Amino acid sequence: MKKFVNAPKDFVPEMLKGLALANPDTLKYVPEYNLIMRTDAPNPDKVSVMQGSGSGHEPAHVMIVGKGMLDAACPGDVFSAPPMDYVLETSKLLASPKGVLHIVNNYTGDRMGFDMGREMAEADGVTIKTIVVDDDVAVSDSTYTVGRRGVAGNFFVIKAVGAASEAGADLDELVRIGEKVNSVTRSMGMALTSCTPPAKGSPLFDLGDDEMEIGVGIHGEPGRRREKLADANTIIDELVEAVATDLPYERGDNVALMINGLGGTPISELYLAYGRAHEQLADRGITVGRSYVGEYCTSLDMAGASVTLVRLDDEITSLLAAPAEVAVRIF
């Protein structure tokens, strides 16, 4: 393994320290809870929005803390859910008179940590509500989930509720918006290679040079099947078919299209994939109103990509177009 790593146990804290040092005017690092938060949080005039999940998916979620997005993120170790005390203490530090919103990707560990942290924070007087993201169409249950996984579609939920929170929406309104966006968002990914967690020092799973995993999870969870590597058009056609038929999206729909890299795919390949996906949607009579190409929710250094669609209406389009200021500009 050739990586910029010192002691594996220090990988996440050192990354978070560097992120805060690079953005001293806007971000604050609280090492006790792996916490990256806005320097101006909590704001008494807005709901505080927070996310957790494991590390290893950057720029999700610590690198999208900022105005118009998250107020804080408290990740666990690589591919590990944040402990309950991270959620509890972050919720207390973010406590606003308007409340705190938890955005949770649908993984068993994440939900357990956030549920327990919420209950204890509520006992201390913090008002909290929760949105669960479950946009992955690949499998209904997996290694870490009951139900569908939360993957790259979490970006759209965060962007929409972050914009609404910045505009002064109350907690109930943010829950309505987040659940609405989640309900019209679908994703599926595939892997060309495995990924290498620092603590393991070797690939998380074995994938032959001539193989690909269709429907892979962002922690390396098994997908729908493993098969021989196909050309790019064949791969993208299958991902678009799986995503577009799940909601289902219909002729005349206006959508946001995201091609998300999983950490090890060149941007040139992602734009190649975007071109094919755009053509496939056009053939279905679906208009792409907003485009997103790049790394939004990764799996360390995994080569691969995912396709996400969001059915747009005037409200969602306006929220996605609202200005935001974060450490890594990805939209």
Side-chain angles (χ1 to χ4, degrees):
M1 178 183 72
K2 294 181 179 180
K3 289 184 176 295
F4 284 99
V5 175
N6 298 307
K9 67 179 179 62
D10 296 329
F11 177 75
V12 172
E14 289 177 347
M15 178 264 290
L16 298 176
K17 176 184 176 183
L19 176 61
L21 288 173
N23 299 274
D25 296 331
T26 56
L27 298 182
K28 176 183 178 182
Y29 172 41
V30 183
E32 294 86 352
Y33 313 116
N34 273 5
L35 170 59
I36 293 290
M37 61 185 291
R38 289 172 58 170
T39 53
D40 60 354
N43 181 337
D45 296 323
K46 70 181 292 294
V47 174
S48 295
V49 182
M50 61 176 280
Q51 169 72 285
S53 199
S55 298
H57 306 302
E58 292 75 30
H61 299 92
V62 291
M63 296 176 187
I64 55 172
V65 173
K67 185 176 180 180
M69 293 290 282
L70 294 174
D71 291 286
C74 56
D77 291 335
V78 171
F79 294 174
S80 297
M84 175 274 295
D85 59 314
Y86 287 17
V87 178
L88 168 62
E89 298 301 332
T90 297
S91 300
K92 289 165 65 176
L93 286 169
L94 285 185
S96 159
K98 297 194 72 170
V100 177
L101 179 67
H102 288 175
I103 301 178
V104 186
N105 288 336
N106 189 35
Y107 297 95
T108 301
D110 293 59
R111 295 192 67 168
M112 288 178 60
F114 269 85
D115 284 348
M116 291 187 291
R118 185 198 72 244
E119 290 174 2
M120 296 189 70
E122 288 174 336
D124 285 340
V126 182
T127 301
I128 300 173
K129 293 199 173 180
T130 301
I131 298 168
V132 176
V133 180
D134 59 352
D135 55 303
D136 190 0
V137 307
V139 291
S140 59
D141 298 289
S142 71
T143 308
Y144 302 110
T145 64
V146 176
R148 292 183 166 184
R149 305 176 292 215
V151 289
N154 74 83
F155 164 82
F156 294 101
V157 175
I158 292 169
K159 181 68 183 71
V161 300
S165 174
E166 210 69 49
D170 65 23
L171 194 52
D172 288 336
E173 178 69 354
L174 295 188
V175 171
R176 181 194 69 79
I177 289 169
E179 290 180 344
K180 174 183 175 179
V181 174
N182 183 65
S183 73
V184 294
T185 301
R186 299 290 188 274
S187 302
M188 193 163 104
M190 61 81 58
L192 298 170
T193 70
S194 181
C195 56
T196 303
K200 190 173 188 293
S202 59
L204 191 60
F205 58 92
D206 294 323
L207 191 61
D209 290 341
D210 62 344
E211 292 182 318
M212 60 182 182
E213 181 86 20
I214 297 294
V216 72
I218 56 174
H219 309 97
E221 306 99 320
R224 291 185 174 182
R225 69 184 186 282
R226 183 173 298 185
E227 63 180 33
K228 295 297 182 181
L229 181 64
D231 62 51
N233 286 352
T234 300
I235 294 169
I236 296 303
D237 290 356
E238 177 166 355
L239 296 182
V240 170
E241 170 72 16
V243 171
T245 59
D246 188 88
L247 190 52
Y249 298 86
E250 300 174 349
R251 184 169 294 273
D253 279 348
N254 185 31
V255 301
L257 167 61
M258 172 187 281
I259 302 295
N260 169 62
L262 295 179
T265 303
I267 190 69
S268 53
E269 295 179 24
L270 298 180
Y271 272 102
L272 183 156
Y274 175 87
R276 180 65 176 190
H278 192 286
E279 290 174 351
Q280 289 294 297
L281 293 172
D283 289 346
R284 296 171 181 268
I286 297 173
T287 300
V288 177
R290 295 189 65 83
S291 302
Y292 300 80
V293 183
E295 293 183 338
Y296 294 81
C297 185
T298 64
S299 184
L300 290 171
D301 56 347
M302 181 184 288
S306 62
V307 173
T308 298
L309 294 180
V310 184
R311 179 184 284 160
L312 299 174
D313 62 12
D314 290 345
E315 179 182 43
I316 295 175
T317 299
S318 176
L319 292 168
L320 295 183
E325 300 173 9
V326 296
V328 177
R329 185 70 180 179
I330 54 175
F331 50 89

PDB file of all heavy atoms in Angstrom, residues 313-330:
ATOM      1  N   ASP A 313     -38.623  19.888  -9.426  1.00  0.00           N
ATOM      2  CA  ASP A 313     -39.754  20.796  -9.584  1.00  0.00           C
ATOM      3  C   ASP A 313     -39.234  22.182  -9.244  1.00  0.00           C
ATOM      4  O   ASP A 313     -38.032  22.363  -8.995  1.00  0.00           O
ATOM      5  CB  ASP A 313     -40.953  20.379  -8.724  1.00  0.00           C
ATOM      6  CG  ASP A 313     -40.659  20.384  -7.224  1.00  0.00           C
ATOM      7  OD1 ASP A 313     -39.599  20.931  -6.805  1.00  0.00           O
ATOM      8  OD2 ASP A 313     -41.473  19.855  -6.455  1.00  0.00           O
ATOM      9  N   ASP A 314     -40.087  23.176  -9.253  1.00  0.00           N
ATOM     10  CA  ASP A 314     -39.622  24.542  -9.024  1.00  0.00           C
ATOM     11  C   ASP A 314     -38.971  24.702  -7.654  1.00  0.00           C
ATOM     12  O   ASP A 314     -37.944  25.387  -7.517  1.00  0.00           O
ATOM     13  CB  ASP A 314     -40.780  25.530  -9.175  1.00  0.00           C
ATOM     14  CG  ASP A 314     -41.253  25.677 -10.619  1.00  0.00           C
ATOM     15  OD1 ASP A 314     -40.511  25.243 -11.529  1.00  0.00           O
ATOM     16  OD2 ASP A 314     -42.363  26.212 -10.826  1.00  0.00           O
ATOM     17  N   GLU A 315     -39.552  24.074  -6.637  1.00  0.00           N
ATOM     18  CA  GLU A 315     -39.015  24.227  -5.289  1.00  0.00           C
ATOM     19  C   GLU A 315     -37.629  23.603  -5.178  1.00  0.00           C
ATOM     20  O   GLU A 315     -36.681  24.242  -4.686  1.00  0.00           O
ATOM     21  CB  GLU A 315     -39.952  23.586  -4.263  1.00  0.00           C
ATOM     22  CG  GLU A 315     -39.426  23.697  -2.839  1.00  0.00           C
ATOM     23  CD  GLU A 315     -40.316  23.019  -1.812  1.00  0.00           C
ATOM     24  OE1 GLU A 315     -40.790  21.892  -2.081  1.00  0.00           O
ATOM     25  OE2 GLU A 315     -40.536  23.615  -0.743  1.00  0.00           O
ATOM     26  N   ILE A 316     -37.485  22.369  -5.620  1.00  0.00           N
ATOM     27  CA  ILE A 316     -36.190  21.687  -5.503  1.00  0.00           C
ATOM     28  C   ILE A 316     -35.141  22.398  -6.351  1.00  0.00           C
ATOM     29  O   ILE A 316     -33.998  22.594  -5.911  1.00  0.00           O
ATOM     30  CB  ILE A 316     -36.315  20.208  -5.900  1.00  0.00           C
ATOM     31  CG1 ILE A 316     -37.231  19.471  -4.906  1.00  0.00           C
ATOM     32  CG2 ILE A 316     -34.944  19.533  -5.948  1.00  0.00           C
ATOM     33  CD1 ILE A 316     -37.520  18.027  -5.287  1.00  0.00           C
ATOM     34  N   THR A 317     -35.508  22.805  -7.558  1.00  0.00           N
ATOM     35  CA  THR A 317     -34.563  23.507  -8.419  1.00  0.00           C
ATOM     36  C   THR A 317     -34.053  24.781  -7.757  1.00  0.00           C
ATOM     37  O   THR A 317     -32.848  25.085  -7.788  1.00  0.00           O
ATOM     38  CB  THR A 317     -35.215  23.848  -9.771  1.00  0.00           C
ATOM     39  OG1 THR A 317     -35.599  22.630 -10.428  1.00  0.00           O
ATOM     40  CG2 THR A 317     -34.262  24.619 -10.662  1.00  0.00           C
ATOM     41  N   SER A 318     -34.945  25.538  -7.150  1.00  0.00           N
ATOM     42  CA  SER A 318     -34.554  26.782  -6.488  1.00  0.00           C
ATOM     43  C   SER A 318     -33.595  26.514  -5.335  1.00  0.00           C
ATOM     44  O   SER A 318     -32.600  27.232  -5.156  1.00  0.00           O
ATOM     45  CB  SER A 318     -35.800  27.506  -5.983  1.00  0.00           C
ATOM     46  OG  SER A 318     -35.447  28.657  -5.255  1.00  0.00           O
ATOM     47  N   LEU A 319     -33.856  25.479  -4.557  1.00  0.00           N
ATOM     48  CA  LEU A 319     -32.999  25.158  -3.415  1.00  0.00           C
ATOM     49  C   LEU A 319     -31.626  24.669  -3.873  1.00  0.00           C
ATOM     50  O   LEU A 319     -30.598  25.022  -3.282  1.00  0.00           O
ATOM     51  CB  LEU A 319     -33.678  24.110  -2.535  1.00  0.00           C
ATOM     52  CG  LEU A 319     -34.930  24.592  -1.796  1.00  0.00           C
ATOM     53  CD1 LEU A 319     -35.683  23.416  -1.197  1.00  0.00           C
ATOM     54  CD2 LEU A 319     -34.576  25.610  -0.723  1.00  0.00           C
ATOM     55  N   LEU A 320     -31.590  23.873  -4.931  1.00  0.00           N
ATOM     56  CA  LEU A 320     -30.302  23.394  -5.436  1.00  0.00           C
ATOM     57  C   LEU A 320     -29.481  24.522  -6.043  1.00  0.00           C
ATOM     58  O   LEU A 320     -28.244  24.462  -6.052  1.00  0.00           O
ATOM     59  CB  LEU A 320     -30.514  22.289  -6.472  1.00  0.00           C
ATOM     60  CG  LEU A 320     -31.157  20.987  -5.974  1.00  0.00           C
ATOM     61  CD1 LEU A 320     -31.239  19.968  -7.103  1.00  0.00           C
ATOM     62  CD2 LEU A 320     -30.394  20.409  -4.782  1.00  0.00           C
ATOM     63  N   ALA A 321     -30.157  25.547  -6.549  1.00  0.00           N
ATOM     64  CA  ALA A 321     -29.459  26.676  -7.173  1.00  0.00           C
ATOM     65  C   ALA A 321     -29.015  27.738  -6.170  1.00  0.00           C
ATOM     66  O   ALA A 321     -28.261  28.647  -6.529  1.00  0.00           O
ATOM     67  CB  ALA A 321     -30.360  27.319  -8.226  1.00  0.00           C
ATOM     68  N   ALA A 322     -29.453  27.633  -4.923  1.00  0.00           N
ATOM     69  CA  ALA A 322     -29.112  28.644  -3.920  1.00  0.00           C
ATOM     70  C   ALA A 322     -27.607  28.650  -3.659  1.00  0.00           C
ATOM     71  O   ALA A 322     -26.949  27.611  -3.722  1.00  0.00           O
ATOM     72  CB  ALA A 322     -29.873  28.362  -2.626  1.00  0.00           C
ATOM     73  N   PRO A 323     -27.035  29.808  -3.346  1.00  0.00           N
ATOM     74  CA  PRO A 323     -25.582  29.880  -3.114  1.00  0.00           C
ATOM     75  C   PRO A 323     -25.164  29.128  -1.855  1.00  0.00           C
ATOM     76  O   PRO A 323     -25.935  28.991  -0.904  1.00  0.00           O
ATOM     77  CB  PRO A 323     -25.328  31.387  -2.967  1.00  0.00           C
ATOM     78  CG  PRO A 323     -26.641  31.958  -2.540  1.00  0.00           C
ATOM     79  CD  PRO A 323     -27.687  31.115  -3.214  1.00  0.00           C
ATOM     80  N   ALA A 324     -23.938  28.632  -1.881  1.00  0.00           N
ATOM     81  CA  ALA A 324     -23.369  27.935  -0.724  1.00  0.00           C
ATOM     82  C   ALA A 324     -21.870  28.163  -0.715  1.00  0.00           C
ATOM     83  O   ALA A 324     -21.261  28.409  -1.764  1.00  0.00           O
ATOM     84  CB  ALA A 324     -23.691  26.443  -0.777  1.00  0.00           C
ATOM     85  N   GLU A 325     -21.283  28.071   0.469  1.00  0.00           N
ATOM     86  CA  GLU A 325     -19.842  28.278   0.627  1.00  0.00           C
ATOM     87  C   GLU A 325     -19.274  27.153   1.482  1.00  0.00           C
ATOM     88  O   GLU A 325     -19.571  27.057   2.674  1.00  0.00           O
ATOM     89  CB  GLU A 325     -19.568  29.629   1.292  1.00  0.00           C
ATOM     90  CG  GLU A 325     -20.090  30.823   0.503  1.00  0.00           C
ATOM     91  CD  GLU A 325     -19.970  32.127   1.249  1.00  0.00           C
ATOM     92  OE1 GLU A 325     -19.324  32.143   2.320  1.00  0.00           O
ATOM     93  OE2 GLU A 325     -20.550  33.137   0.793  1.00  0.00           O
ATOM     94  N   VAL A 326     -18.468  26.281   0.848  1.00  0.00           N
ATOM     95  CA  VAL A 326     -17.899  25.130   1.546  1.00  0.00           C
ATOM     96  C   VAL A 326     -16.417  25.007   1.211  1.00  0.00           C
ATOM     97  O   VAL A 326     -15.913  25.679   0.308  1.00  0.00           O
ATOM     98  CB  VAL A 326     -18.638  23.824   1.191  1.00  0.00           C
ATOM     99  CG1 VAL A 326     -20.078  23.875   1.664  1.00  0.00           C
ATOM    100  CG2 VAL A 326     -18.575  23.561  -0.309  1.00  0.00           C
ATOM    101  N   ALA A 327     -15.734  24.105   1.934  1.00  0.00           N
ATOM    102  CA  ALA A 327     -14.283  23.961   1.754  1.00  0.00           C
ATOM    103  C   ALA A 327     -13.931  23.428   0.377  1.00  0.00           C
ATOM    104  O   ALA A 327     -12.950  23.839  -0.234  1.00  0.00           O
ATOM    105  CB  ALA A 327     -13.733  23.035   2.830  1.00  0.00           C
ATOM    106  N   VAL A 328     -14.711  22.476  -0.122  1.00  0.00           N
ATOM    107  CA  VAL A 328     -14.453  21.884  -1.425  1.00  0.00           C
ATOM    108  C   VAL A 328     -15.618  22.236  -2.344  1.00  0.00           C
ATOM    109  O   VAL A 328     -16.751  21.814  -2.106  1.00  0.00           O
ATOM    110  CB  VAL A 328     -14.306  20.348  -1.331  1.00  0.00           C
ATOM    111  CG1 VAL A 328     -14.109  19.750  -2.712  1.00  0.00           C
ATOM    112  CG2 VAL A 328     -13.117  20.002  -0.449  1.00  0.00           C
ATOM    113  N   ARG A 329     -15.374  23.000  -3.379  1.00  0.00           N
ATOM    114  CA  ARG A 329     -16.431  23.464  -4.267  1.00  0.00           C
ATOM    115  C   ARG A 329     -16.792  22.350  -5.231  1.00  0.00           C
ATOM    116  O   ARG A 329     -16.020  22.000  -6.123  1.00  0.00           O
ATOM    117  CB  ARG A 329     -15.964  24.685  -5.053  1.00  0.00           C
ATOM    118  CG  ARG A 329     -17.048  25.318  -5.923  1.00  0.00           C
ATOM    119  CD  ARG A 329     -18.114  25.994  -5.089  1.00  0.00           C
ATOM    120  NE  ARG A 329     -19.161  26.593  -5.909  1.00  0.00           N
ATOM    121  CZ  ARG A 329     -20.211  27.218  -5.434  1.00  0.00           C
ATOM    122  NH1 ARG A 329     -20.395  27.312  -4.144  1.00  0.00           N
ATOM    123  NH2 ARG A 329     -21.115  27.733  -6.239  1.00  0.00           N
ATOM    124  N   ILE A 330     -17.960  21.726  -5.040  1.00  0.00           N
ATOM    125  CA  ILE A 330     -18.343  20.574  -5.845  1.00  0.00           C
ATOM    126  C   ILE A 330     -19.683  20.794  -6.555  1.00  0.00           C
ATOM    127  O   ILE A 330     -20.301  19.858  -7.028  1.00  0.00           O
ATOM    128  CB  ILE A 330     -18.412  19.290  -4.987  1.00  0.00           C
ATOM    129  CG1 ILE A 330     -19.337  19.469  -3.773  1.00  0.00           C
ATOM    130  CG2 ILE A 330     -17.031  18.879  -4.535  1.00  0.00           C
ATOM    131  CD1 ILE A 330     -19.539  18.213  -2.949  1.00  0.00           C
TER     132      ILE A 330
END
